[in-house]
Amino acid sequence: MTTYVWSIDDAGSGGSKMVESLRRACQFFSSRGLGSTWFTIPKPGDKPLSSEWKEALIAARDAGHDLQLHGLTHADCYEFGPPAWPATAILPTLQSDFDQRRDELMPRYTLANLRARIEEGMEIFTRELGVDPTVFRAPCGAISKPMFAALREVGIGYHTCMYISGSGYAHLPHNSGKLTQDWVERYERNHANHIKQKSTGGNTEQRIAIPRQPYRWYEGIIEAPIINEYNWRGAGQRSAEFIELARKDLDRISKESPIVVMLMHTHGLADDYEHTFRLIDAVSEHVGRQPGAAFATMGELATSGALAQAAAVEGPDILTV
Ligand SMILES: [Zn+2]
């Protein structure tokens, strides 16, 4: 029995077009009886949430959708840690930019600083949205040990940013173009060599073997891995292939994990609503045929204890910072 989560990043950021993306998608999810989880930036680009965003987010909450924390400002891709794959496969300059600015950026990663950022985000959520977040997703998947310590201290027990597959970005011009199933290795206890360099389409990627199911990680925080993303900008031009890839990924993961998190972004949705809605319907119909398949939000799975129960394994030790 597998439960699926629709998670969408970057709510709170961008103008009316992005607000419209949240509104239209929530309406669509609701029309299908589906909940969705919006990883929301509480202080986008270091500015207060606009009234337009606030109104749309509160309406989404009232319609039963789930709002969770996505950093504090998300002003760049290094807010909570150094750059990580597959963000580096989307934007290949991330690593070299970070390396050049290392002396400026590294001092960010202290428990006191990261804890203050998470607490400020939580206060904004409570005050402006009437929501107490239970799950965190670091911007661009950039994480560090002090981030997990800070989450533990503020009482957030769940995190979600590690990818099982990044093949949903293969269509980008600098990548391989191959929309085939391409998963990281499965991590098992004491797995040697769980960090691998892989060259694809001229880029070197650092891919980390992770468990396929939610796992216990640093500071006892539970990590819920992301299966893949199927509607990043430009995906609509290869809509049928992306839908086929989603079906294959979900068939396979349903045999290996009781909880599966899918990823989307507000801008990816808005890039091609037709593709996005076709994808949501195709996936719902496809996995709906699996016995006992269900959909839930991250918040529901955190509160019910299902995420904690699913996390029967330990994650790999991968962080140097
Ligand atoms: Zn983001």
Side-chain angles (χ1 to χ4, degrees):
M1 274 183 28
T2 302
T3 301
Y4 297 85
V5 179
W6 300 102
S7 76
I8 307 96
D9 283 6
D10 296 348
S13 168
S16 302
K17 266 192 158 174
M18 294 302 103
V19 180
E20 181 64 14
S21 168
L22 171 126
R23 283 211 185 94
R24 282 187 67 173
C26 282
Q27 272 168 16
F28 188 82
F29 282 122
S30 293
S31 75
R32 302 303 197 249
L34 297 166
S36 56
T37 296
W38 295 80
F39 283 93
T40 302
I41 307 161
K43 199 183 181 186
D46 217 20
K47 297 197 175 71
L49 277 174
S50 69
S51 52
E52 194 184 13
W53 267 116
K54 249 187 275 178
E55 208 176 290
L57 287 163
I58 289 168
R61 178 204 69 187
D62 289 346
H65 299 281
D66 181 33
L67 308 181
Q68 300 291 352
L69 263 184
H70 189 39
L72 175 64
T73 66
H74 204 325
D76 57 36
C77 266
Y78 322 112
E79 195 176 7
F80 286 85
W85 180 85
T88 48
I90 299 172
L91 195 59
T93 54
L94 278 183
Q95 189 62 55
S96 54
D97 179 52
F98 182 86
D99 291 341
Q100 272 169 18
R101 296 170 58 198
R102 182 168 270 273
D103 293 347
E104 168 208 341
L105 296 169
M106 285 301 282
R108 289 181 174 182
Y109 312 129
T110 65
L111 173 57
N113 179 45
L114 300 185
R115 177 177 169 156
R117 293 186 86 84
I118 297 168
E119 278 176 331
E120 188 178 348
M122 291 169 82
E123 280 159 24
I124 295 169
F125 257 54
T126 308
R127 188 178 67 236
E128 306 291 343
L129 306 173
V131 170
D132 294 323
T134 52
V135 185
F136 190 77
R137 176 175 283 159
C140 308
I143 59 178
S144 61
K145 287 178 191 170
M147 180 200 81
F148 286 100
L151 289 172
R152 172 54 57 215
E153 285 193 3
V154 303
I156 291 183
Y158 303 94
H159 184 262
T160 166
C161 87
M162 297 298 285
Y163 282 66
I164 292 169
S165 175
S167 65
Y169 312 115
H171 65 300
L172 298 176
H174 54 277
N175 288 336
S176 70
K178 285 184 207 142
L179 296 185
T180 46
Q181 191 171 68
D182 179 18
W183 289 17
V184 301
E185 275 185 67
R186 187 213 319 252
Y187 175 82
E188 278 161 81
R189 223 178 149 73
N190 302 325
H191 185 148
N193 238 346
H194 56 273
I195 303 178
K196 287 221 169 96
Q197 307 288 340
K198 183 176 174 175
S199 288
T200 48
N203 299 313
T204 303
E205 299 172 344
Q206 193 180 66
R207 297 172 42 144
I208 293 158
I210 55 168
R212 302 273 162 80
Q213 69 197 87
Y215 53 93
R216 287 191 188 273
W217 217 11
Y218 297 100
E219 303 286 338
I221 304 295
I222 290 166
E223 175 73 25
I226 293 164
I227 178 68
N228 204 345
E229 178 159 10
Y230 307 104
N231 68 333
W232 185 264
R233 278 168 285 193
Q237 285 158 41
R238 298 176 67 177
S239 181
E241 285 173 88
F242 269 103
I243 287 170
E244 193 46 34
L245 176 64
R247 287 189 182 119
K248 279 193 183 132
D249 277 354
L250 298 170
D251 278 346
R252 183 171 165 198
I253 193 68
S254 69
K255 298 181 188 88
E256 302 189 50
S257 178
I259 291 173
V260 174
V261 180
M262 295 174 281
L263 177 63
M264 299 183 174
H265 282 80
T266 47
H267 54 77
L269 274 163
D271 181 64
D272 194 332
Y273 286 110
E274 228 177 278
H275 167 60
T276 299
F277 296 158
R278 197 185 302 133
L279 171 76
I280 295 168
D281 273 345
V283 163
S284 309
E285 195 198 324
H286 188 71
V287 304
R289 290 195 211 110
Q290 296 166 0
F295 289 89
T297 65
M298 294 295 308
E300 287 165 349
L301 295 174
T303 306
S304 71
L307 261 172
Q309 207 185 352
V313 295
E314 296 278 329
D317 184 14
I318 59 161
L319 297 174
T320 50
V321 178

